[in-house]
Every structure is written in structure tokens, then in C-alpha cells.
Amino acid sequence: MTHTSHYRGRFAPTPSGPLHLGSLVAALGSYLDARAVGGQWLVRIEDSDPPRCPPGASDTILRQLNAFGLHWDEEIRWQHNRYEAYQQALDELVAKGLAYPCSCSRKQWQAFSVYPGWCHEGVSDPTKPVAWRLRSDLAKRPITWQDRLFGFQQFDPNALGDVVLKRKDQLWAYQLAVVVDDADQGITDIVRGYDLLDNTPWQGQLQEALGLPIPRYLHLPLVVTHDGQKLSKQNLAPALAEDPAGIRQQLFKALQLLDQAPPDTLAQESPETQLRWAMAHWSVERLVANAHRRY
């Protein structure tokens, strides 16, 4: 695949805790994919859900990225400043008949695999707070795209259910916020973990419905433990090292997990030296199209 000088990528963590090895792999993959073609690399803090974002977590993440040599272009984007833009997008979807209020609780429809659309023709209980959902049956379907690692993808979002766009507590949900921000920032290429591959169909529907550009996608294998458990903040994955030796070792390990086959001698080099090598040798073709990487 040939990129242009207009490549704009991003790393967009939720500040629910410090970065771990799995998030370093995602950040490094997106960084290298941008820098290898002279593109720009942005950082967006996806803090639209304050209860999940403890004080100081964002500062920790930015400090970690700097410590590993992953320096970004432009100012940091913060989702907590973007609520008006999300509301405008939701209003447009409502006007097109593609979003609707829903008073149903998960407990009510837990016997179904996906939300069954009970509020399509009107709120089932007007006395309860409402969330706003996407009419996935009326938006474009199926959604197809060519993933740069996993190849041709096709999903019918209606089979995945009507995703929430705005929650009952008035907080903005991931799907709408990420689509609006990627378009506003001119993101051309999204490089992220395989766990988000099946979110792409809803995002494709929203991009089509809102008349937004469709970025290219590269979903990276997830880092999992030896027993197959995904590394995540929820399962208490250890935070990235902060000492110089630990940083060198973990950056080298991340390059190995990205199948870049760095020479053993690189493990003792500084982050700057490792990144220079990695940018010069970055190859998506080396990536093996498996969903998981054990470490």
C-alpha cells in the first residue's frame, strides 16, 4: 500500500489508568505507521466518561509516551471539550431518522443477544431516562472495508444491534465521539487493536450517515497473557516501566510483538535509536494476521 504525505494517524487512549505493554504495542504501531511515511501522529485523550478517568491518569499516559520517545504533533485533543460537536452530530442523525431515544434497561433485554429495538416506534417507558441509539437497520448495510492486515471485512451492523450513541446519564458513548473526532482531526489512517475491529461497522454507518471521510484501517493483534487473557487495565496489567533499562527492554519487546524482527543488539539501545531503526524498517507485510500475541 502506498501512502501520501497527507497521512494523519492518532493514538487515542482512555485515561482509566497507566499504559501497559498492550497499549504500548498499539501506540507504537500507530506511531511507526505514520512516521515511516513522513506522516503526522496525534494524541487524543478519550475522557468523555469521567467516572472511568481517575485524576492524574492523563498526565501519567502523556509522561509515559514521552519517556518511550513517542512524541506527538499538534496539541492534545481532549474529548471533554467536544460535547457540542457530538450533540450536533446526534441532532443530524435524529433529523435523518437514524437515531432514536430508548428507555430500555439491559436487564430488560438480557435474554436477547443484542438489543431488540423495542423503542424504534417510540419510547417504551416515558417515565424513565433515555439513551440515544443508532438505527442500524436503516443506516447503510452491510459495511465492508479492506483491513490492511486482516483483509476484506464484511459485517451487517443490524446483526450487532443498535449501538448507544449517548447514554442515559448524558455522557457520550465511544462510537459517536470517535467518528466525529477522527473526521474533525482529518485522520486518514486508524491503527488500533484487534478488539476494536467489530466496532468498525457501526463507525462505518455513522461516517456514511454524517457524510464523513472513511479512513483506512489497520487492526493490530492483541497482546495476551500465556493463558490467553487480554492485557488490560481492568485485569490489572502492570504499568509500563519508568526506569531507563525497563523502557529499553519494553520498547524492544513491543517491536518483537509487532513482528518487526529487531536485531538483538537493539535491545540495549536508547529509545531514540530503537525508534530510528524501527521507522526505517517498519513493514506491515511482516505482521502475521493472528488476532493475538502471547508475551
Side-chain angles (χ1 to χ4, degrees):
M1 174 177 175
T2 301
H3 292 300
T4 73
S5 60
H6 299 298
Y7 183 113
R8 282 171 66 83
R10 50 65 162 181
F11 176 58
T14 297
S16 54
L19 301 180
H20 49 75
L21 182 61
S23 41
L24 174 62
V25 168
L28 181 60
S30 64
Y31 178 88
L32 293 176
D33 201 56
R35 294 299 194 227
V37 294
Q40 295 174 305
W41 187 70
L42 312 183
V43 171
R44 180 169 69 236
I45 301 295
E46 298 199 332
D47 59 348
S48 62
D49 187 354
R52 291 185 59 205
C53 305
S58 298
D59 293 338
T60 297
I61 287 172
L62 298 178
R63 186 183 71 245
Q64 290 174 308
L65 291 174
N66 270 315
F68 278 79
L70 304 179
H71 307 308
W72 53 88
D73 302 305
E74 302 183 7
E75 293 184 3
I76 301 292
R77 168 68 62 92
W78 303 84
Q79 284 192 333
H80 71 258
N81 293 328
R82 298 277 298 154
Y83 292 176
E84 183 177 346
Y86 307 150
Q87 186 63 56
Q88 290 175 354
L90 178 59
D91 291 345
E92 183 176 342
L93 293 169
V94 171
K96 292 179 176 180
L98 295 177
Y100 65 96
C102 172
S103 62
C104 301
S105 67
R106 183 177 292 274
K107 184 177 181 181
Q108 288 176 287
W109 57 271
Q110 63 183 357
F112 297 82
S113 59
V114 299
Y115 175 66
W118 290 332
C119 292
H120 277 181
E121 304 307 322
V123 174
S124 59
D125 188 344
T127 68
K128 292 183 177 179
V130 298
W132 287 86
R133 292 180 179 272
L134 175 67
R135 279 291 300 257
S136 58
D137 60 328
L138 299 183
K140 179 182 177 181
R141 45 191 284 233
I143 293 294
T144 63
W145 76 95
Q146 189 72 23
D147 190 86
R148 292 172 54 204
L149 177 57
F150 291 95
F152 178 76
Q153 303 292 317
Q154 177 170 305
F155 289 81
D156 181 355
N158 190 45
L160 303 174
D162 292 349
V163 72
V164 170
L165 305 175
K166 189 176 186 180
R167 296 172 6 184
K168 290 181 179 180
D169 58 9
Q170 301 302 298
L171 294 178
W172 292 98
Y174 165 74
Q175 307 295 351
L176 182 63
V178 72
V179 163
V180 171
D181 283 338
D182 282 337
D184 184 68
Q185 292 187 283
I187 301 301
T188 64
D189 287 76
I190 293 175
V191 180
R192 60 188 182 185
Y194 183 83
D195 56 329
L196 293 172
L197 185 139
D198 63 1
N199 285 221
T200 311
W202 287 312
Q203 293 166 20
Q205 284 194 319
L206 289 168
Q207 289 155 352
E208 289 282 350
L210 295 168
L212 303 177
I214 309 297
R216 295 177 289 254
Y217 288 95
L218 168 59
H219 287 89
L220 300 172
L222 291 181
V223 181
V224 299
T225 61
H226 285 293
D227 60 4
Q229 187 177 36
K230 174 191 167 186
L231 282 188
S232 70
K233 298 162 190 172
Q234 286 72 28
N235 64 24
L236 305 179
L240 292 175
E242 301 220 11
D243 62 290
I247 289 171
R248 291 195 298 270
Q249 292 167 6
Q250 289 190 320
L251 186 58
F252 183 80
K253 183 63 175 178
L255 288 172
Q256 290 180 316
L257 290 167
L258 286 167
D259 302 324
Q260 297 304 293
D264 291 343
T265 53
L266 199 66
Q268 303 306 316
E269 299 292 347
S270 67
E272 292 75 19
T273 299
Q274 291 194 37
L275 290 173
R276 278 198 300 271
W277 180 92
M279 285 185 281
H281 294 85
W282 172 250
S283 172
V284 174
E285 287 70 29
R286 283 202 194 102
L287 284 166
V288 178
N290 292 332
H292 299 138
R293 289 286 184 281
R294 296 182 187 272
Y295 82 100

